[in-house]
Structure formats: C-alpha cells, structure tokens
Amino acid sequence: MTEFSDLERLAMRRALLIATQGLYSTGENPRVGACFIRDDEIISEGFHKAPGLPHAEIEAIRAAGSSTLHGSTCVVTLEPCSHVGKTGPCADALIDAGVRRVVVAMVDPNPLVAGQGIQKLQDAGIDVAVGLYAREAEQLNPGFVSRMTRSLPFIWVKSASSIDGKIAMADGESQWITGPEARKDVQRLRGRCQAIVTGVDTVLVDNPRMTVRYQEAGIEVPEGLHVAQPLRVILDTRGRLPETGALFDEEGPILWITGRSIDHPQLRCGRIEQWVAPLTNDRVDLRAVMSELANRSINEVLVESGPRLIGQCISEGLVDQGVLYLAPKLLGQAARSLYDVAPAQLADAPEIFIREIREVGEDLRLDWTLRTHA
C-alpha cells in the first residue's frame, strides 16, 4: 500500500479545493488542481481555468516565479498529460522542473494519456505515487470520466415540485413553485453543465431562455474569462419549434434535434443547428442524443423539462444524478404530476437512492440516483 505524508495529504486536499475554481469554466476539459511542496510547506499552486489555457501543473510552475522547484514534490488531482493538445505535455514540464516525486490522485481516463504520463515520469527517474483521494478526484469530474469511459456525458435531471409531487396547476401555471434561493441553485447547476436539454413542449408552454444568469446566481469564474453559455438542446421529433421566442433572444448556440430534416427560419439564418436523430418508438432516441453530445465533447448535461421527457430518461436508465427541489406547498389532486412513468405493477416501479437532502432557502433539495447506478 502506498504511503503518503501528512503534507502530501494536505496538499492534495488543497489541490482538490482550488480545482473547483474551474467548475464553471473548464468546458470539455477536466477540473484539475496542483500544488508543489518542499521543506514542510506548499510553495506553489495552480488550477486549470479554461480550454486552451495552461494546465494546473503549468499554472503552478509559473506561480513559483523565480523560486526553483528542483527537488520538490508535485501533488496533482489528475495524471499529468503526456501528449500535445492545445497545450504542451505537463509530464515534460515536470521533468524539466526537476521534481523528485509526483503524487497523483487518479489516472487520466483519456485514452491519449491513460498511464502514459505516469510512465514518462517514471522513465525519467521520478518517483510517482497514485491513488491519494482518488474518489474525490473522480467526483470532481464525473462528466469527463463518463465521457472517456462510457462515451456518454454525465446526465443530471432537474425537477421542482410541491411537497405532494405536483409541478403545475391544472391550467399549467407553475411560476414560481420554488423560492429564489432554489432558483439560484438551479443556475449554479446549469453553470457546471455544457449542455441543457429540454423538449419542445416546454419551449411552447414556458417560453424559456435556458441560459445561465451568472451574476444573478453569484457564480464566480476565473478573472478575465468570459464563459460561453451552455449548448441549448431542443428535442423536437416533428418540428414544432416556434419561429420566435426568448430562446432566440439570448446569446449562445442552439441544437435543434428532430426526427427528420425539417426547414425552419432560424435554421436558414444560421441561428440554430439541426441534427436529425434516429427514432425509437416514433420518438427521438435519447441514448443516441446523449452519445452525440459526448461526441461534441460535452461532459455534463442537464435535462430540464416536463414529466414526459424526464420520465423517458428514468425509464431508459439515463439518469446519473437527479435533483428534485421540493417546495412547502400543496397543489392538490387536480395539479399536474411530477414524472411520467407507468410501471405495470409495484414490483416494476423504478427505485431511487437518495444521496443527500439539504435545505435551499425555504425549499428542500433532494439529490438522488437510480438504484441501478447507486
């Protein structure tokens, strides 16, 4: 069993913490933090900010300034890369810096790295230890890990209901079931995702913007960065997308997914992109949609929609983590129900595992997953 010093443990906890500063900005890249330690102290640190910018190890090397890193230990939340992408190989930079040891939380699941960075360091005579807080490192990057290992993004499903499981009054009135703090929390959930998926029925009924209101939610991104809006994905089998609406008034890309090639004014002017998906039971194939989003380097997806689409996600096992906001209200029997699932008998009912319950303002947030994913 690999032994880690108290300082290495402290430095890894620090690296994991600073890596979260890239929660809303790293896009298709993993969130990574790094620290250099020597003589019983952390002497330098850095985190990855955005695609195309230096990786965490390079940021930490630069932060050291004129201080020499020769003989130090680098503690990093993800295996240093060994290939040339938008930036140079971090493994080479660590070798050039003269480090004596590298402590890695987890091996990079990217097939372009996948142990090669560790091997390169070891071939250069550097001591490498792997596995310190590996679980926490994986939890920092659920989408990146999922995309690299399953060719699917990590799929969040968000809903809001009254305490009796209703999402709207019988006439469709639903704003606002939850309070302002829960709505800010939703903005933060959107902000960490690279795509937001909804159905055309939600667009027709609610006229949503489907954007992240960074300032309103108090979301902080690294200084000097402008973070793009997530890709907004509209599932529209038969082509009922309206020609105008709030969706088109906000900046950011829109992917219109249909069951066949259909013309649209917003398509002709280049405002939206169309992708024709395969159909299953006369509906857009959800798994094919998620696979396509993974092919577009989408790590995390948030499904925000009505009960039918979310019910389909549940029935097809396409929920990695559900988030349900429960408001202290009772809407009654005539109101619209939460999830459109229809098990034939009790034994067939989807089972969930509740991971966490916490207060968000006056509401409750329940984080859950399907039992098959627990």
Side-chain angles (χ1 to χ4, degrees), residues 239 241-244 248 254 256 261-275:
L241 185 68
E243 296 183 4
T244 61
F248 309 115
I254 300 170
W256 183 38
S261 182
I262 304 170
D263 190 29
H264 194 284
Q266 298 287 350
L267 183 63
R268 291 196 299 270
C269 72
R271 180 65 186 89
I272 64 176
E273 176 191 354
Q274 184 181 37
W275 186 70

Side-chain angles (χ1 to χ4, degrees), residues 113-320:
V113 185
Q116 295 180 55
I118 291 170
Q119 189 62 56
K120 178 176 278 193
L121 293 169
Q122 291 175 329
D123 290 346
I126 296 171
D127 179 36
V128 181
V130 182
L132 179 59
Y133 296 125
R135 183 179 179 184
E136 288 82 354
E138 289 183 10
Q139 290 173 339
L140 185 64
N141 290 296
F144 182 75
V145 173
S146 177
R147 183 163 64 87
M148 292 297 163
T149 59
R150 301 189 302 161
S151 298
L152 289 171
F154 186 91
I155 303 168
W156 298 82
V157 167
K158 169 262 171 183
S159 303
S161 80
S162 61
I163 203 73
D164 56 345
K166 305 296 183 177
I167 62 170
M169 301 301 292
D171 63 0
E173 180 189 359
S174 62
Q175 295 183 335
W176 296 100
I177 289 178
T178 55
E181 290 305 314
R183 296 198 293 274
K184 287 182 181 178
D185 197 59
V186 171
Q187 293 297 315
R188 290 188 283 271
L189 184 55
R190 286 182 181 180
R192 68 174 292 155
C193 296
Q194 294 78 54
I196 303 172
V197 176
T198 197
V200 71
D201 286 337
T202 297
V203 176
L204 291 167
V205 172
D206 294 340
N207 190 28
R209 290 182 287 177
M210 292 175 62
T211 53
V212 182
R213 274 88 80 183
Y214 290 94
Q215 188 171 5
E216 175 186 319
I219 295 174
E220 294 185 3
V221 299
E223 187 176 354
L225 288 185
H226 172 73
V227 180
Q229 288 288 343
L231 175 68
R232 291 170 290 168
V233 182
I234 313 301
L235 305 186
D236 184 13
T237 304
R238 294 172 181 81
R240 295 183 292 138
L241 185 68
E243 296 183 4
T244 61
L247 189 71
F248 309 115
D249 296 335
E250 300 290 333
E251 68 172 30
I254 300 170
L255 180 62
W256 183 38
I257 297 183
T258 59
R260 59 185 174 83
S261 182
I262 304 170
D263 190 29
H264 194 284
Q266 298 287 350
L267 183 63
R268 291 196 299 270
C269 72
R271 180 65 186 89
I272 64 176
E273 176 191 354
Q274 184 181 37
W275 186 70
V276 178
L279 300 181
T280 300
N281 298 324
D282 202 33
R283 299 179 69 176
V284 165
D285 187 320
L286 269 184
R287 188 167 292 273
V289 168
M290 295 304 173
S291 179
E292 171 65 16
L293 294 179
N295 290 338
R296 292 168 179 251
S297 299
I298 301 293
N299 286 338
E300 296 185 44
V301 168
L302 176 62
V303 179
E304 280 194 86
S305 67
R308 189 180 182 199
L309 177 54
I310 291 182
Q312 187 180 355
C313 289
I314 293 172
S315 298
E316 296 184 16
L318 289 171
V319 180
D320 290 306

Side-chain angles (χ1 to χ4, degrees), residues 324 326 354-360 364-367:
L324 171 60
L326 281 176
I354 298 176
R355 294 189 176 276
E356 182 183 13
I357 302 175
R358 59 184 172 90
E359 293 182 6
V360 182
L364 292 178
R365 170 174 164 163
L366 279 71
D367 283 67

